[in-house]
Amino acid sequence: MGINVSTIQLGGCSGCHVSILDIGKDLFKGGINIVHSYLLMDKVTATIEAETDILIIEGAILTNRDEDLVKCMAPHAKKVVAIGSCACFGGIACLGNLETPFRPQKGDFNKSDHKLHPLVCSPKAFIDVDYFISGCPPPANVIRDVLFALVEGKPVPEIAHTVCDECDRERTGEPPPIPPGGKWKTALDEAPDPKKCFLEQGYLCLGRQTIGGCNASCIKANMPCEGCRGPILLHRGFKKFTDEEKKEILRCLK
Amino acid sequence: MSKVITIDNVARLEGHASVTLYLDKDGGVEKAEYLATEPSRGFDIIFKGKHASEVPMLAARICGICYTAHNICACKALEDAWETPIPDSAKKIRELLLFANTLASHALHTFFLAGPGLLIEGANTIADLQKKYPDFPEAGIELRMIGQQISEIIAGRKVHTTIAVPGGVLGVLEQEKQDNIMKLLDSASEPIEIMEDYSHRILSDRKDYMLSFGMIETHFLALKQSKRLELYDNPIELLMKNGKVDILTPTQILERITEEKKDYSYVRHPYITDLGSDNGQFRTGALARIQEDASWDNPTFHEFKKIFGTFTQSTMGYDIARVAEMVECIKGMKNIIKSGLDKDIKNVAHQKDGIGVAVVEAPRGLLLHQYEIDSEGIVRKARVIAPTTFHQGSIERSTFEAAKIVLNGKKGKCSDEEKIKIEQAIRAYDPCMSCAGATQLRVIKKPI
């Protein structure tokens, strides 16, 4: 009984798997059978052919093996869920593309099956992803809501509000001023006032643009929003991304 | 050489790694290779050209398990470069975070990753464990959640806490939050008892296995310990095989080690240069910490010392040392909160050019960050050496020893069950491959 879930990790930090575990005891009780997860079990207990209903993907495509793995696993699954900003947009892993392309030096290990991918990118370039749960990592309650909606066959909840909507700091209502010379305060300056809006105090906070759902938890701990869940304009809630990004990645790879 | 056995994608560790065993024609193990198959995400390149104020936030993303240590270590390195002191309460909050993270990481490892194979030989999932000992996984989940919830109370989130910034921390820990943490810590007494019972059971049931499996001889490197678990700030001790002790600074560590490039692994193998690659292997982490003058007071610690002695090379001792540390983490957090915290948590940091280097004890061992910053505050060079990087050579040697024991008399045959048994020696180190390859691929050859 229940629904079979497989999780795989590509180039990432395991943080999203940790966030899945943060769901806690519910994860092991509520009709979810984890049939393949290298972090939780040895793979002899489950092979790739195991019947997978939901495939959860963490991380960005970093090696050729990653590309093969998603192409091999995704067709077996009824629904594919990308969790974490690396799997959704490329995230931190993709920052490595900015400076120089990945080019191993002479004498470095770079075997064929683990060869560095020409472009670090989100797995959505190669497979169809049904749901995107962004965040670095996504909060456990958001993952739980999506997972249990899929288990119970209910519609997956959509998030169409920003972190700013969830924040309860005092605001004057005026558009936040841009500090003189564009010099925002940084982490080096004094600690911000815990009650007032960060932007009005001169700290750069990305809450106005960022997808909500995290209950503005960082802001409540007096930390400006880092925008880890990605911009709200790119997608609303967990709906599909546009095909434009996919085309762009494939164009770069040519 | 007649046969090659591959253990592809070792399960139940963080990140990707494989093992290749080379057998001779009689089935004896000749050589073992530990392959880090996860390439670097190039954090040295990511940091380069960024303003230093962004570095601690990005550094947390190196690892999804020991993010707190990376976040705090980056802050310490920047404070070293800028000669910025931090307020006393900020230091206490950072220690609280390190304790909470260590508790969660050790609980995850002890119950989910290493636990099944330690309690039941050859078992490989938490489900196997649940059938025989139903209360253990429950206690593990509970203990882990306590650690994660304390991180959430302090930093607002459970994973990738980035509350530490150069000059201190951002959030004040109000009385209400302190009370909540104390409540959580009080609720930990029951699962921690189950945990201690668990380590006692392993030690009494499988004493010989724990003493001898995967044993190798190395030096140990860790922060000097005291009556409590020291994770944040203390002199670094290098405990040699012969019992001699050297005190090192973080810069001296960089001067004394060489990172050897291997053509089969993405991660280099560090060793102490003047002792050579065979004799110069060293280990960090729980097993090193418990031997660096630790004088803790808990039953598991005393049992560890009774069974393993004052100086031990037993690899499986890691798993027991972790249980002793979890008890100390809870005690340490209670003591910090009892000692009182005030609202002075942040100094203004003044950027200037310089090189900053710092270490903290991450759950898996000593973590080192080094940054070269120009007068505008832009990072020019960055280097991260994670505990699992230090462990590469030791893991390989332990795998070799373990394979010799497991494959003895098997005439070159290696079934899946035997592979799982060999993997247990790797898991003792709790390797985190995403940390190990943080900056390895394009690392600067000489210390900057």
Side-chain angles (χ1 to χ4, degrees):
Chain A
M1 279 303 286
I3 203 155
N4 291 344
V5 177
S6 292
T7 74
I8 53 172
Q9 189 195 352
L10 313 175
C13 68
S14 309
C16 299
H17 273 81
V18 170
S19 206
I20 297 173
L21 287 179
D22 281 341
I23 294 173
K25 289 176 183 170
D26 287 359
L27 187 65
F28 297 95
K29 280 177 187 165
I32 294 176
N33 310 325
I34 298 179
V35 290
H36 176 89
S37 172
Y38 85 101
L39 190 66
L40 291 176
M41 59 181 73
D42 289 320
K43 69 196 160 310
V44 286
T45 56
T47 53
I48 284 169
E49 288 76 33
E51 193 95 1
T52 299
D53 296 319
I54 301 173
L55 174 67
I56 294 178
I57 301 177
E58 176 198 338
I61 305 275
L62 198 58
T63 61
N64 288 352
R65 181 191 152 276
D66 290 341
E67 189 189 326
D68 296 344
L69 186 67
V70 290
K71 281 181 180 166
C72 164
M73 292 282 281
H76 291 282
K78 293 190 185 108
K79 292 274 183 234
V80 179
V81 184
I83 74 164
S85 289
C86 295
C88 292
F89 328 105
I92 292 280
C94 264
L95 282 175
N97 287 335
L98 290 177
E99 190 80 13
T100 45
F102 272 96
R103 245 184 231 120
Q105 295 157 2
K106 204 181 162 194
D108 275 330
F109 169 74
N110 200 22
K111 289 234 178 85
S112 56
D113 50 341
H114 296 293
K115 209 171 183 144
L116 283 164
H117 204 266
L119 185 81
V120 182
C121 58
S122 153
K124 68 185 172 214
F126 305 104
I127 52 165
D128 285 328
V129 178
D130 296 291
Y131 299 101
F132 292 92
I133 314 177
S134 63
C136 190
N141 59 321
V142 179
I143 303 176
R144 187 188 56 212
D145 291 350
V146 174
L147 215 53
F148 281 93
L150 288 172
V151 168
E152 289 157 15
K154 288 180 187 162
V156 170
E158 279 179 26
I159 294 175
H161 59 267
T162 61
V163 176
C164 218
D165 297 332
E166 294 172 342
C167 170
D168 48 14
R169 287 183 174 239
E170 289 166 20
R171 264 167 286 186
T172 55
E174 299 287 311
I178 294 172
K183 281 218 176 250
W184 295 92
K185 286 185 186 170
T186 66
L188 307 190
D189 299 296
E190 71 276 15
D193 186 320
K195 297 235 161 60
K196 289 186 187 143
C197 173
F198 282 115
L199 285 171
E200 288 175 6
Q201 292 183 64
Y203 290 89
L204 190 58
C205 172
L206 299 178
R208 279 165 74 98
Q209 293 83 10
T210 307
I211 304 164
C214 56
N215 208 16
S217 55
C218 296
I219 290 169
K220 281 172 188 153
N222 207 19
M223 202 162 43
C225 178
E226 301 159 343
C228 75
R229 301 207 64 208
I232 190 93
L233 286 178
L234 255 187
H235 74 140
R236 291 194 160 258
F238 307 105
K239 276 188 186 164
K240 281 193 182 190
F241 284 75
T242 58
D243 282 341
E244 290 305 312
E245 277 179 278
K246 184 173 174 173
K247 279 182 202 155
E248 181 69 16
I249 294 170
L250 293 175
R251 190 184 60 78
C252 287
L253 280 171
K254 278 177 201 158
Chain B
M1 230 172 278
S2 70
K3 202 178 169 192
V4 179
I5 292 172
T6 319
I7 304 175
D8 188 30
N9 217 356
V10 180
R12 283 187 287 142
L13 54 81
E14 293 94 20
H16 303 290
S18 305
V19 170
T20 316
L21 299 169
Y22 296 94
L23 308 185
D24 60 21
K25 55 181 185 302
D26 302 322
V29 187
E30 262 185 356
K31 202 172 102 180
E33 281 177 356
Y34 180 68
L35 288 71
T37 54
E38 183 161 314
S40 163
R41 279 171 293 151
F43 273 91
D44 45 348
I45 296 295
I46 291 173
F47 291 146
K48 210 170 118 183
K50 294 246 174 349
H51 192 268
S53 61
E54 290 177 51
V55 166
M57 183 258 278
L58 288 169
R61 266 72 188 198
I62 291 175
C63 179
I65 319 266
C66 48
Y67 36 82
T68 305
H70 282 286
N71 176 223
I72 291 173
C73 195
C75 291
K76 265 185 88 179
L78 297 176
E79 283 152 10
D80 180 48
W82 296 334
E83 292 161 16
T84 308
I86 64 163
D88 200 36
S89 284
K91 190 186 155 201
K92 284 180 182 171
I93 293 175
R94 286 184 185 185
E95 280 192 314
L96 274 178
L97 277 168
L98 280 174
F99 280 138
N101 183 223
T102 306
L103 175 67
S105 168
H106 283 0
L108 171 73
H109 179 263
T110 309
F111 280 101
F112 290 87
L113 312 182
L118 282 178
L119 270 171
I120 308 164
E121 198 181 3
N124 66 47
T125 64
I126 194 95
D128 293 349
L129 196 60
Q130 219 155 7
K131 276 175 219 148
K132 204 168 170 193
Y133 305 105
D135 56 338
F136 285 147
E138 293 261 321
I141 296 169
E142 213 169 299
L143 215 49
R144 203 187 143 265
M145 286 308 273
I146 289 169
Q148 295 291 79
Q149 278 164 358
I150 292 172
S151 294
E152 195 182 20
I153 291 173
I154 302 170
R157 56 202 294 176
K158 292 192 180 93
V159 185
H160 290 327
T161 57
T162 49
I163 196 93
V165 288
V169 291
L170 284 176
V172 178
L173 204 61
E174 292 100 355
Q175 192 56 45
E176 194 193 336
K177 289 182 178 174
Q178 293 180 27
D179 294 344
N180 288 343
I181 294 176
M182 271 313 240
K183 253 183 241 161
L184 280 170
L185 289 172
D186 288 336
S187 71
S189 56
E190 201 181 320
I192 205 85
E193 262 173 41
I194 297 176
M195 177 80 84
E196 292 193 288
D197 179 40
Y198 150 95
S199 84
H200 174 73
R201 195 185 295 237
I202 294 170
L203 280 179
S204 50
D205 288 0
R206 305 182 73 188
K207 191 179 162 193
D208 291 340
Y209 172 81
M210 296 304 286
L211 280 171
S212 62
F213 193 69
M215 191 174 95
I216 51 164
E217 293 217 334
T218 62
H219 313 291
F220 291 99
L221 185 73
L223 292 190
K224 190 174 156 64
Q225 299 295 309
S226 63
K227 283 189 175 163
R228 49 170 243 159
L229 178 62
E230 300 283 352
L231 297 175
Y232 184 72
D233 205 9
N234 235 13
I236 308 160
E237 275 192 354
L238 175 65
L239 175 64
M240 315 283 268
K241 278 180 215 171
N242 55 15
K244 212 176 120 229
V245 174
D246 271 359
I247 303 283
L248 300 176
T249 63
T251 321
Q252 281 169 332
I253 298 180
L254 284 173
E255 282 163 1
R256 280 195 73 176
I257 60 166
T258 305
E259 290 183 272
E260 191 185 1
K261 206 184 255 187
K262 296 279 184 192
D263 60 0
Y264 53 80
S265 174
Y266 274 118
V267 180
R268 291 159 197 229
H269 290 207
Y271 60 89
I272 300 167
T273 315
D274 45 308
L275 296 172
S277 71
D278 268 339
N279 198 24
Q281 294 294 331
F282 57 96
R283 290 188 272 186
T284 74
L287 189 63
R289 287 193 285 258
I290 207 166
Q291 305 201 57
E292 303 277 4
D293 287 341
S295 50
W296 309 330
D297 185 22
N298 68 62
T300 311
F301 175 77
H302 296 309
E303 197 174 12
F304 179 94
K305 289 287 175 190
K306 205 175 106 199
I307 289 184
F308 292 94
T310 45
F311 183 70
T312 177
Q313 295 278 11
S314 301
T315 301
M316 304 312 279
Y318 266 110
D319 290 313
I320 307 299
R322 274 187 204 105
V323 178
E325 281 192 354
M326 274 189 268
V327 185
E328 285 304 309
C329 283
I330 289 170
K331 265 197 219 164
M333 281 190 272
K334 279 185 178 168
N335 286 339
I336 289 173
I337 291 188
K338 274 180 201 152
S339 72
L341 293 149
D342 56 35
K343 286 187 174 163
D344 181 21
I345 48 158
K346 176 88 173 75
N347 288 342
V348 176
H350 297 285
Q351 63 193 38
K352 57 173 189 169
D353 60 332
I355 297 176
V357 49
V359 295
V360 296
E361 283 283 358
R364 285 157 192 77
L366 211 62
L367 169 68
L368 191 146
H369 279 232
Q370 188 189 32
Y371 300 100
E372 191 183 308
I373 308 153
D374 70 10
S375 54
E376 298 290 305
I378 305 294
V379 176
R380 290 287 159 226
K381 276 177 188 171
R383 189 177 188 186
V384 175
I385 307 184
T388 307
T389 318
F390 290 132
H391 281 157
Q392 293 298 307
S394 308
I395 294 175
E396 190 169 287
R397 284 163 177 77
S398 283
T399 316
F400 178 56
E401 297 299 327
K404 276 204 281 195
I405 295 174
V406 173
L407 298 182
N408 185 23
K410 294 281 191 293
K411 297 197 177 99
K413 287 203 179 80
C414 184
S415 64
D416 284 341
E417 281 74 34
E418 274 134 20
K419 284 182 182 174
I420 290 169
K421 283 180 197 165
I422 297 171
E423 285 176 15
Q424 199 66 30
I426 302 171
R427 274 193 283 275
Y429 292 89
D430 193 6
C432 175
M433 303 320 292
S434 33
C435 280
T439 65
Q440 283 293 308
L441 193 65
R442 286 160 294 180
V443 81
I444 308 101
K445 275 186 189 133
K446 279 181 190 155
I448 44 179

